[in-house]
Amino acid sequence: MIKAIKGTNDILPEEMLNWNFLTETVKEQMKFFNYKEIRTPIFEHTALFSRGIGEGTDIVSKEMYSFTDRSENNVTLKPEMTASVVRAFIEHSLGKKANLNKLFYISPMFRQERPQAGRLRQFHQFGVEAIGNHNPSLDAEVIQVAYEILTNIGLKEIEVKINSLGLPEERESFTYKLKEFLIDKKDGLSEDSKNRLENNVLRIIDSKDRGDQQLIKNAPSILDFLGSESLEHFEKVKDLLTIAKIPFSVEPKLVRGLDYYTHTTFEITSSKVGSQSALCGGGRYNLLIEQLGGASTPAVGFAAGIERILLACKAEEAFTPNEDELDIYIVCLDKELENKVFEFASFFRKNNFRIEFDHSSKSVKAQMREANRLNAKYVLFVGGEEYEKGQAQFKNMTTSEQEFVDLDKLDDIVSLISKKN
Ligand code: HAM
């Protein structure tokens, strides 16, 4: 038997209830914050991601699903959306159509990581990219969108962590000092961090390795390398988060795994989901648009992992979306009346009711079992003596009350149910 590829998940109908609850909350909040949806292709030219995310990052150096297609194009299944959204922003001159483009997305992503709970090879993100403004109020707004969604679905055990990576020259002096600090401790570093000493020093400071963490305990802090402009920006973000009543902590070791960040970075973590605790992450990326061939344009955004959020919801028992239920199950008492049942079902569906009936000539008892299994609110019995009289029995499954309804007045049923709902 051919099974699903390791690190990919089927999302079965019963799980879709939670998925839909989350994505509907996302869409609702995006309306409140005035973000518009954007979709980009599943695959792009590989160069977009290697240039956008950074050659030295884990994503580009070891996790991308890249291949050469039949026309000899080097293409990659998107590992994240920011580079794709920026590409679309430049390609369609969105910057000329509006000063500020506030965009959101919900999309599958692909990274060939080692699968474990909360870490998949095909996973899903929702996120926003706000392109065209450098004001700290937009950094705060983007963090607020993420926070509102996570708290609106009922998560409580979450923490907002923020940091600033400043400007490239400030980061450069910091990485220089960091390298100096680490160079004589090299032998004690993990293999990954030893390699990073050469190609991505910054990432050593958020290494999860215990030995590394011990060594970097007293490492210099990026915040001591920020100039007055960067510090002012960061202070304003903090003030605005306080105004928005969003609890946060400053985490100078939060450097993120993608190279494009300037100024604010942030993550929201859950204490309930084990090692893959980052539910979402993002920050400002004022240089990326220019780097990818557009006009210099400031931007800020975040992305959140849907699977991880749902794991956190489960661990916190954060929400139980209403069970899917049916409005009416139509029981057919008489095989000859199958066409009539079909006709009634069509009528009710056209009137926006959720309807089911039997498609395989089951016994009445089996049909009732099915009505119960599907949580039908009402059952309409079509057939028997009542049918001869132009009527049908209509049963309220919650109260067990039964009444007769005229089959030429189905509108009465519509108004009866509508009233009770
Ligand atoms: P990221 O931190 O790489 O950022 O991913 C964002 C979120 O996606 C993570 O916090 C996590 O919840 C989820 N995620 C990442 N990898 C996996 C995986 N293998 N399995 C399950 N979930 C995963 C970005 O992608 C940036 N584009 C965020 C951003 C937008 N920055 C600015 N704008």
Side-chain angles (χ1 to χ4, degrees), residues 80 82 111 113 118 120 125 129 256 260-261 278-279 301 303 305:
E80 63 112 43
T82 312
R111 296 183 194 175
E113 295 194 75
L120 295 157
Q125 287 185 341
E129 310 297 344
R256 311 264 309 125
Y260 45 62
Y261 294 109
L279 303 186

Side-chain angles (χ1 to χ4, degrees), residues 7 93 129 161 168-169 207 363:
S93 307
E129 310 297 344
K161 297 169 183 166
E169 51 277 22
S207 164
S363 69

Side-chain angles (χ1 to χ4, degrees), residues 76 177 353:
T76 293
K177 274 276 181 269
F353 290 117

Side-chain angles (χ1 to χ4, degrees), residues 59 79-82 105 111 113 118-121 123-125 128-129 256 258 260-261 267 278-283 285 300-308:
I59 298 179
E80 63 112 43
M81 270 295 272
T82 312
Y105 47 82
R111 296 183 194 175
E113 295 194 75
R119 191 161 69 191
L120 295 157
R121 290 180 168 176
F123 59 100
H124 297 74
Q125 287 185 341
V128 306
E129 310 297 344
R256 311 264 309 125
L258 306 97
Y260 45 62
Y261 294 109
E267 275 184 8
L279 303 186
C280 87
Y285 51 95
V300 55
F302 80 83
I306 294 185
E307 287 84 352
R308 272 188 209 175

Side-chain angles (χ1 to χ4, degrees), residues 253-268:
K253 293 199 163 66
L254 181 67
V255 294
R256 311 264 309 125
L258 306 97
D259 279 355
Y260 45 62
Y261 294 109
T262 51
H263 296 291
T264 318
T265 55
F266 79 100
E267 275 184 8
I268 303 182

Side-chain angles (χ1 to χ4, degrees), residues 311-342:
L311 281 179
C313 289
K314 198 164 170 208
E316 281 197 40
E317 291 176 11
F319 64 80
T320 22
N322 285 340
E323 285 278 302
D324 251 350
E325 45 181 26
L326 275 186
D327 291 310
I328 309 173
Y329 190 96
I330 307 178
V331 169
C332 182
L333 302 174
D334 221 323
K335 202 171 161 3
E336 285 86 77
L337 293 175
E338 278 177 355
N339 286 359
K340 267 288 162 206
V341 167
F342 190 90

Side-chain angles (χ1 to χ4, degrees), residues 363-411:
S363 69
V364 173
K365 214 167 148 190
Q367 291 183 63
M368 278 309 285
R369 261 202 308 272
E370 192 62 1
N372 279 317
R373 193 182 70 79
L374 296 171
N375 290 321
K377 286 193 247 176
Y378 297 92
V379 172
L380 182 70
F381 296 90
V382 177
E385 277 173 33
E386 285 82 29
Y387 186 79
E388 304 294 319
K389 293 186 218 148
Q391 287 193 314
Q393 217 175 69
F394 188 58
K395 182 174 179 182
N396 181 325
M397 297 294 278
T398 321
T399 61
S400 292
E401 278 171 308
Q402 305 202 35
E403 58 190 294
F404 292 104
V405 290
D406 291 332
L407 286 173
D408 58 354
K409 288 188 197 147
L410 292 179
D411 282 331

